[in-house]
Amino acid sequence: MLMLRRIHLQPGLMARHVSSKPGKRSFSLRAVCGAGLVGCGAGYLLSRMDGQLRERQLPGAGFRVCCEEMITPKQQALPNELRGIVGKQHVVENVTETGTMVGKGHAMVVVRPGTLQETMKVLEACLNAEVAILPQGAKTGITGGSVPRPCDRPMVVISTQRLQKILPIGDEAKQVLCFAGAGIFSVQETLKPLNRDSHSVLGSIFLNPSVAAGVAFGSGGTQIHKGPAFTNRALYCRVDANGQLKLVNTLGLNAHEDVVAFLDNAQALSSKDMDAKCTRAASWPKYPQHLTKLDGQVSRYNADLTGEDCNRSEGKVFILATIHDTFPMPQESKMVWVSCKDFATANHIKQKVALASPNCLPKQFEYMGREQFDCVDQGGRGIIKLIEMVGMSNLGTLWNFKLKFESLPLPFVNIIADKLLWYLNSAIPESLPKPLMEQGRKFDHHLIMEMTEFGNGELKQLDERLQRQLALNPGDISCYVCQDAFEKSRVMLFRFAVQPSIQTITVGKGRQGLIIDYAMPKNFDRILEMPKDCDIEMRCLCSHFGCNVFHESLMLSNDVDVKEVKKRIKQVIDEAGGKLPAEHGHGTEYEAPCSTQERWKRIDPTNSMNPGVGHSSSLKGYL
């Protein structure tokens, strides 16, 4: 809210602005009083407007602040103890944390350990002080799972942003070990000179989300042959029933007396460091076979209990390091934008081209509806131009600055950036080549497919399948082939801008917004019908189409209850056999099913880690 401060004038100051001449004194006094009344009125109106804006639900927004806690002597002494472990410059007290898309809350301390050994000492100190512990990566999540929230104890955020080590394994680098805070973009860049591709590429890759958060929250991604973020080879900490820290090691390294110290000191890993007998999976087993079996099962979802306890743990354990499979870089690639007049044609291309064989999948196969296309064009030009200007590796720093700015207690601060992007959007050139923009406006359903060659004729097979479908439907399908690397990058940036653009448009138009993600059965062949009477003014639909995972970005009337709309949509998804959420985690936005909550209670019986996630109890011991 706008703060109105009382201004104290020095004696005689007013007199300098008031005429002493007859007939003018009363006029000047009236002017001053009138100006004061106008100022007060303007301040009141600004205050009301700011309050209304803060009450409006932006896409994914959820404002949560922590209550006043009773601080025990041990908790009072904790910040100094943490400074002794990590250094005073890496401990900050009384922090208001803001998530990238969701959540805002208070942390007693934010601590940033720089080694795995420091991290374990920090965890032990926090357990001894009986505080709630919140593991945190790059804060790019959109369901609030890594943002502080109300709790019966003070909350301490342990950031992994200094745990950035990335160690390709062996000369061939067919696997890579990542510390918890390593970003997926950084992993991708590290592996490029070794001619290997990383395990995970997300729409938010330009924000460099952390590897560990991807495992913990079950992130999906655009590259369908890799599967979701998943590994059974990890080093992580959990809390036992007695409140003691336990180290779990399933990495598959050869025996070391102290694996934590070994990894802290390691500058490289060779095949000799690995246990040749270890058969634990470092990616989702046989995902292409699972994906191309078009049955009534979903391809992936957040409540799936498959795998080691670190997978989809949502902060209930603290991941220190993980090993992931890497993938060969394609020898050649061809990116096409296929536009269809109806969804049935798009779905037919998915079945007959993209998913016809588990041994010949496209690298990426994405869907975008017409309103989503228009949304990115009307609200996403700024973010695309910004990435082009500063580079993907530098955008995360700017985004973090935006979050810090928006957490300031000033009027309108949470909308200024998006308002600016909204007003500037039309002045920025269109993001796609002109022929592709024209094609996008002509058709209502769009497919982005990257076909790749790995030495077995995959690209030729996919292209031949596509050409057959184009020949069968010449008037209903249009295909644009990207001519060079620049056009390919523009197409992918256009796809990646879907979520920032809906934020910009809802703020620009002064509306509410809602972002949800869900998985539909693999044989589900239509667009889900939204509940009636939800006052949806703009429905932006896109999809990791090969996996049948959908992302809805909805602009809603200011008169509706967003939480009620979300409940109604979830009911429709459940009735159709879908799963929500699919790849963003339950966080604070969705109630986790009983099976998931029981698993969390098993791996964190004292509720020390990320209490309240998935609408679970926030109380110590779940009592």
Side-chain angles (χ1 to χ4, degrees):
M1 297 291 289
L2 183 67
M3 301 281 296
L4 294 179
R5 294 178 296 173
R6 181 177 295 173
I7 301 174
H8 297 278
L9 297 176
Q10 298 174 359
L13 185 61
M14 180 70 77
R16 290 197 293 269
H17 299 280
V18 179
S19 172
S20 59
K21 294 181 180 180
K24 291 190 177 181
R25 180 179 179 87
S26 58
F27 170 78
S28 298
L29 283 173
R30 285 197 301 271
V32 169
C33 292
L37 288 172
V38 169
C40 289
Y44 173 72
L45 289 173
L46 286 171
S47 176
R48 284 196 62 186
M49 290 170 62
D50 181 54
Q52 290 167 356
L53 284 168
R54 290 180 184 273
E55 290 173 3
R56 183 180 301 154
Q57 187 84 11
L58 297 179
F63 185 84
R64 304 171 191 272
V65 295
C66 191
C67 57
E68 293 292 327
E69 308 100 343
M70 294 297 293
I71 308 296
T72 68
K74 281 186 178 181
Q75 293 163 354
Q76 221 167 14
L78 181 62
N80 282 334
E81 185 178 356
L82 296 178
R83 290 186 183 97
I85 297 171
V86 304
K88 63 180 181 180
Q89 69 271 35
H90 302 303
V91 177
V92 185
E93 295 185 62
N94 297 319
V95 178
T96 297
E97 284 271 312
T98 304
T100 294
M101 295 290 288
V102 171
K104 185 175 182 180
H106 176 265
M108 184 184 82
V109 179
V110 175
V111 55
R112 298 178 176 87
T115 67
L116 303 185
Q117 294 171 91
E118 286 182 1
T119 304
M120 292 192 67
K121 290 178 181 177
V122 166
L123 284 165
E124 288 171 341
C126 289
L127 290 173
N128 184 52
E130 298 184 323
V131 296
I133 300 168
L134 179 61
Q136 187 182 85
K139 292 191 297 182
T140 60
I142 66 170
T143 57
S146 60
V147 183
R149 65 195 70 97
C151 186
D152 63 340
R153 296 147 283 166
M155 188 165 279
V156 172
V157 171
I158 303 180
S159 170
T160 63
Q161 287 297 281
R162 293 178 63 218
L163 303 173
Q164 298 276 346
K165 187 176 287 188
I166 300 167
L167 298 174
I169 299 173
D171 295 334
E172 296 184 345
K174 290 186 177 181
Q175 292 182 326
V176 61
L177 183 143
C178 305
F179 278 20
I184 60 172
F185 179 75
S186 300
V187 176
Q188 188 181 63
E189 293 299 296
T190 299
L191 291 171
K192 274 183 181 178
L194 304 173
N195 203 32
R196 300 296 292 182
D197 200 5
S198 63
H199 67 288
S200 180
V201 176
L202 308 178
S204 59
I205 191 171
F206 57 87
L207 298 177
N208 212 15
S210 69
V211 170
V215 174
F217 288 91
S219 63
T222 62
Q223 301 190 354
I224 64 176
H225 62 295
K226 298 177 180 179
F230 175 91
T231 184
N232 285 334
R233 301 182 68 172
L235 182 70
Y236 61 95
C237 294
R238 59 177 296 269
V239 183
D240 68 14
N242 298 316
Q244 299 300 306
L245 191 68
K246 300 296 180 183
L247 183 67
V248 180
N249 179 12
T250 66
L251 285 172
L253 293 172
N254 282 326
H256 292 279
E257 186 175 334
D258 188 343
V259 66
V260 174
F262 169 75
L263 290 176
D264 274 339
N265 295 321
Q267 299 302 311
L269 288 175
S270 71
S271 57
K272 294 180 181 179
D273 294 310
M274 311 309 295
D275 181 359
K277 297 179 181 179
C278 179
T279 59
R280 289 177 173 270
S283 60
W284 195 281
K286 298 182 178 179
Y287 191 72
Q289 288 79 3
H290 166 63
L291 198 62
T292 52
K293 186 179 180 182
L294 300 180
D295 54 20
Q297 302 298 312
V298 301
S299 62
R300 59 176 188 248
Y301 64 107
N302 282 127
D304 192 333
L305 304 182
T306 302
E308 187 64 34
D309 285 338
C310 57
N311 293 290
R312 299 176 173 85
S313 53
E314 301 209 22
K316 301 303 285 184
V317 302
F318 198 104
I319 298 174
L320 298 174
T322 48
I323 288 177
H324 299 270
D325 289 334
T326 66
F327 296 81
M329 293 287 284
Q331 300 169 10
E332 184 184 357
S333 72
K334 179 180 180 179
M335 183 171 286
V336 296
W337 183 300
V338 180
S339 301
C340 310
K341 286 193 173 180
D342 54 62
F343 187 79
T345 302
N347 195 69
H348 187 76
I349 291 174
K350 176 172 73 172
Q351 294 180 2
K352 299 300 181 181
V353 179
L355 301 183
S357 168
N359 301 318
C360 187
L361 295 173
K363 186 177 181 180
Q364 304 181 70
F365 190 66
E366 300 285 291
Y367 168 84
M368 183 180 294
R370 172 60 186 275
E371 283 190 289
Q372 181 67 84
F373 180 93
D374 292 340
C375 177
V376 177
D377 182 45
Q378 296 168 15
R381 295 184 191 180
I383 192 72
I384 293 171
K385 176 58 70 174
L386 189 60
I387 296 173
E388 180 185 309
M389 291 171 59
V390 305
M392 197 172 286
S393 60
N394 297 316
L395 195 64
T397 302
L398 293 176
W399 196 268
N400 288 332
F401 174 79
K402 176 178 180 286
L403 295 181
K404 289 181 180 179
F405 178 74
E406 290 177 347
S407 68
L408 297 174
L410 299 172
F412 311 114
V413 72
N414 63 327
I415 65 166
I416 289 175
D418 285 298
K419 278 286 188 184
L420 183 62
L421 288 171
W422 170 250
Y423 288 126
L424 290 177
N425 193 82
S426 60
I428 300 171
E430 292 176 342
S431 302
L432 295 175
K434 186 176 180 180
L436 189 47
M437 289 300 302
E438 292 174 352
Q439 178 178 312
R441 293 181 177 123
K442 183 178 178 181
F443 292 86
D444 290 338
H445 305 274
H446 306 283
L447 303 173
I448 301 169
M449 180 164 63
E450 183 179 7
M451 302 175 283
T452 48
E453 176 60 51
F454 294 99
N456 297 308
E458 297 93 345
L459 194 155
K460 182 180 179 182
Q461 292 180 55
L462 285 166
D463 203 16
E464 287 177 349
R465 292 178 200 163
L466 177 61
Q467 295 306 319
R468 284 196 293 269
Q469 297 304 314
L470 293 176
L472 290 172
N473 302 276
D476 297 335
I477 307 176
S478 182
C479 181
Y480 181 89
V481 180
C482 294
Q483 300 301 309
D484 50 33
F486 177 76
E487 288 194 356
K488 289 180 182 178
S489 68
R490 275 306 183 101
V491 165
M492 291 318 301
L493 287 177
F494 196 88
R495 165 62 184 87
F496 289 165
V498 295
Q499 287 174 352
S501 62
I502 189 65
Q503 175 89 3
T504 297
I505 282 187
T506 53
V507 170
K509 293 189 174 183
R511 297 293 188 272
Q512 300 189 100
L514 174 64
I515 293 176
I516 57 174
D517 68 291
Y518 56 91
M520 297 306 295
K522 290 174 288 181
N523 60 5
F524 191 84
D525 59 0
R526 60 191 184 277
I527 293 176
L528 189 73
E529 187 174 342
M530 288 286 106
K532 300 186 185 302
D533 303 325
C534 285
D535 283 339
I536 298 174
E537 297 185 7
M538 189 176 193
R539 182 186 183 185
C540 302
L541 180 66
C542 63
S543 169
H544 304 310
F545 203 34
C547 305
N548 240 22
V549 170
F550 292 86
H551 295 259
E552 299 265 8
S553 301
L554 307 174
M555 184 168 71
L556 305 171
S557 162
N558 292 333
D559 299 326
V560 302
D561 183 335
V562 176
K563 291 182 179 179
E564 186 60 32
V565 170
K566 186 191 295 185
K567 287 180 183 178
R568 294 180 63 189
I569 293 174
K570 185 179 187 307
Q571 183 179 355
V572 170
I573 293 168
D574 290 341
E575 290 173 353
K579 301 285 187 181
L580 182 155
E583 59 181 24
H584 292 151
H586 298 87
T588 56
E589 301 302 298
Y590 302 104
E591 182 176 358
C594 292
S595 57
T596 299
Q597 294 200 31
E598 287 303 315
R599 182 196 190 203
W600 291 344
K601 288 179 181 179
R602 176 178 59 79
I603 62 179
D604 179 25
T606 62
N607 203 17
S608 298
M609 307 290 294
N610 207 5
V613 69
H615 292 191
S616 61
S617 171
S618 62
L619 302 177
K620 184 177 179 180
Y622 303 95
L623 300 175

